[in-house]
Each structure stands twice: as structure tokens, then as C-alpha cells.
Amino acid sequence: KFNATEYAMLKRIGNNNGIPLVIDDTSLSKVKDMTGFVYQLSEGRDRDRLGKNATLEETTEWATSIFLTGEKTILFRGDNELKGKVARLFELTISDNDLFDNGENARHIRNISKSHYGLIGTAFVNSLIKEKALENIEELLRKDTECAVASLTALISDDAGIVNRLSGKIAIITVTAKLLNGIFDFGFDVDNIKNYLVNISANNILTFNELNDEEAQFKKMYKEFFESISEIGEIKPEHPDAVFVSSSIF
């Protein structure tokens, strides 16, 4: 849960290579800088730290999928580093009945998942190795990345370079779904998965672009206002960006 310290959570994530992780309920968070925490998670390694005797502690690394849950957005919440979060996160809005038909259905899925947790992962990895399915993985990722880029650029304009970064993440998910279908015949609808993630990403980028436009308009109005006042000698701002820095537009 998010009621642990940032350092403790990073230590738990350390050395996790491939096992999906859920950190539950951001409302309990003791993390003061949520954007910094998101950056740290996406970095894939802990910060360098000094121990008690001024010696460098061993850093840990990870490479996995991390799910954060909460009742409020962390993507568009209260700070100015929006671009970095938009390029790193897929934020899904889930309603009561989106995942389960009812409480009994949810409990049944939970019990089965707890009883067989990790089983499919081991079988999946062993099959990938046995069938040499990873030999052309880079080509599969390249093609699916290009496909995601094409789908996103058909929906929105992106002057901030976010599309390419998100498309690579979409490709990892769609290629994984294809490999699972090939080995276990799960029947994942890969096109539907891709379209779902593309639409989420497009909406987030669109929101980012709109907020950026609002920022530019606000800054322009503020500058023009003080320029008009300074012309009549009443006031001249020393730092025309100062108000925006502390504003709550985001």
C-alpha cells in the first residue's frame, strides 16, 4: 500500500524483473513529490544513497509493469511536470462494474488468482525460451511501435514528442498479448487492446495540449497587462513569470 515511505516502496520493487506489481490507494500516500516518485519508478533503478558510514549503498533495479490505484487522478494533479507524467503513464478510469459483474464474481476471481499466482508467468517464460520466440522480438516491437505512432498521429497533434514515447509502451503490451495468444491461445483481441490504449493516450495528450495552451495564454495576458501598466509608469514587474510558477492551472 501507499502508506509506506517512498524509500520502503522502492526497496520492495527492487530486483523485480517481470512480476507485475500493484501499489494500492494513492490517497494513503506519504510521498510528498508524486511526480518525482513516478519518474523514479519509470527510471528502473533506485537513487544512489550514502549509508551510515558515508559509504555508497547498493542500488537496486527493476523492469516490470507497475499499477497504481487511487480515487483521484495523479496524472493531472497539482504540479507543473505534466509532460513527464503524460509520457510515462496510462491512466485508466474504472467504474464500479467495468471489471466485475458483481461481488461474488470479484471474490471468485480473487481466490483463483491467489491460488495460482505466478504459475502462468513461469510457463510463459519457459515457452518463450523453448520456442526461441524472443529471437525476433525487436522487430515485433518496432512494427507495433510504428503502428501505434500511426494510430496516435491520426488522432492528435503532438509537438511535445510524447507520441513516440507512449507508442513504445503500447507496443510492449500488444506484443506480449500476441506472444501469449501464440503460446496459450488466450484469444486476446490485440487490435482492441491497442485501440483502447491509443484512445487513452490521445485523450491525455489532448488534455496536455489544452493545458499548455491555457498556460501560454495566461502568461501572455499577464505580460501584456503589466507592460500596459508599466507604460504609464505605475508598476513594472521584475519577474513576469512569477505568478504562473505558483499558479494552480495544473
Side-chain angles (χ1 to χ4, degrees):
K1 283 185 176 289
F2 257 105
N3 57 358
T5 65
E6 176 181 352
Y7 181 67
M9 285 189 285
L10 291 175
K11 282 299 181 185
R12 288 196 174 195
I13 298 169
N15 300 317
N16 184 335
N17 293 288
I19 308 249
L21 179 73
V22 178
I23 307 178
D24 190 31
D25 200 352
T26 56
S27 65
L28 300 175
S29 175
K30 294 182 179 180
V31 176
K32 295 180 180 179
D33 178 14
M34 184 60 72
T35 297
F37 185 62
V38 168
Y39 275 50
Q40 190 70 59
L41 292 179
S42 66
E43 186 71 18
R45 70 186 300 273
D46 196 5
R47 298 186 185 95
D48 290 334
R49 303 175 190 271
L50 287 178
K52 293 181 180 179
N53 299 319
T55 56
L56 197 63
E57 292 184 357
E58 183 180 354
T59 58
T60 57
E61 299 183 354
W62 54 86
T64 187
S65 300
I66 301 173
F67 299 84
L68 313 178
T69 72
E71 296 181 359
K72 296 181 180 179
T73 178
I74 64 171
L75 192 56
F76 299 107
R77 187 174 74 183
D79 54 57
N80 294 325
E81 296 296 329
L82 179 58
K83 176 183 174 181
K85 288 193 292 186
V86 171
R88 287 168 170 81
L89 296 175
F90 298 115
E91 186 164 272
L92 317 181
T93 301
I94 307 296
S95 300
D96 288 345
N97 296 321
D98 284 349
L99 298 179
F100 310 110
D101 295 330
N102 50 57
E104 181 61 31
N105 177 235
R107 286 189 292 273
H108 184 61
I109 292 175
R110 182 190 62 189
N111 291 336
I112 291 177
S113 299
K114 288 177 67 176
S115 299
H116 302 283
Y117 180 77
L119 179 64
I120 193 68
T122 302
F124 181 47
V125 171
N126 288 337
S127 296
L128 289 176
I129 296 171
K130 181 180 179 180
E131 299 180 18
K132 299 181 179 180
L134 298 180
E135 289 184 351
N136 63 337
I137 190 69
E138 291 186 3
E139 180 64 14
L140 292 174
L141 288 170
R142 184 189 64 79
K143 288 182 178 179
D144 276 25
T145 298
E146 291 178 351
C147 183
V149 168
S151 297
L152 275 169
T153 52
L155 294 175
I156 44 93
S157 61
D158 172 37
D159 297 326
I162 299 174
V163 162
N164 286 333
R165 297 170 69 181
L166 282 176
S167 295
K169 294 176 173 59
I170 293 173
I172 291 173
I173 295 170
T174 55
V175 167
T176 302
K178 290 176 180 178
L179 291 172
L180 284 166
N181 281 346
I183 293 172
F184 298 117
D185 194 24
F186 279 165
F188 288 131
D189 188 335
V190 178
D191 286 337
N192 195 31
I193 292 171
K194 184 208 73 175
N195 292 335
Y196 181 66
L197 294 174
V198 163
N199 287 330
I200 289 172
S201 301
N203 287 332
N204 289 341
I205 296 172
L206 182 61
T207 302
F208 168 76
N209 290 341
E210 290 173 349
L211 290 173
N212 259 7
D213 289 342
E214 289 179 12
E215 171 186 347
Q217 292 171 13
F218 181 86
K219 187 174 180 180
K220 181 181 178 182
M221 291 171 58
Y222 177 76
K223 185 177 181 181
E224 290 175 350
F225 171 72
F226 277 102
E227 283 177 348
S228 65
I229 293 178
S230 64
E231 288 177 0
I232 59 176
E234 291 186 11
I235 186 173
K236 186 174 182 180
E238 295 181 2
H239 304 287
D241 295 338
V243 168
F244 179 72
V245 169
S246 60
S247 72
S248 58
I249 288 181
F250 292 141

